[in-house]
Amino acid sequence: EALTAYTDLRNRWPEHADMPLSLFGIAESNRLLGNHVEAAITFRNFADEHWRLPQASQASLKAGDAFLAAGRLGDAEQEYRRVLKDYL
């Protein structure tokens, strides 16, 4: 249900001030549903597009965790290195 609501927000009001956080919500919803690759890609896109928001570092870390859960170790390593390089 949350995934539908976040997606609906992005589709109906793409210029809304909360649109960036809806992308984070979509990623988190996918993670909770076990859609790890989709979650990881969406978290990574959030960090790329909204790098100035305080949630960007958390998105990069969660992207790494989701890639790890999906067994995509190279992608997970890339995200973890990004966290170390860009946010610490």
Side-chain angles (χ1 to χ4, degrees):
E1 189 173 311
L3 181 58
T4 303
Y6 287 125
T7 303
D8 188 49
L9 174 64
R10 288 185 57 80
N11 292 335
R12 287 187 183 199
W13 301 285
E15 300 302 319
H16 192 278
D18 289 333
M19 191 281 303
L21 296 180
S22 72
L23 185 60
F24 191 92
I26 289 169
E28 183 65 13
S29 296
N30 273 308
R31 184 188 69 80
L32 293 171
L33 290 170
N35 303 329
H36 298 294
V37 173
E38 184 66 29
I41 291 169
T42 307
F43 278 128
R44 181 167 44 189
N45 289 342
F46 178 91
D48 287 344
E49 295 170 18
H50 306 290
W51 55 272
R52 290 185 178 175
L53 292 179
Q55 295 86 354
S57 60
Q58 185 180 8
S60 288
L61 184 60
K62 284 180 173 266
D65 292 346
F67 277 131
L68 186 62
R72 292 179 53 171
L73 304 182
D75 290 320
E77 179 183 7
Q78 181 180 350
E79 289 303 317
Y80 292 140
R81 288 185 184 279
R82 175 184 183 163
V83 171
L84 293 172
K85 178 182 163 279
D86 293 348
Y87 302 112
L88 295 180

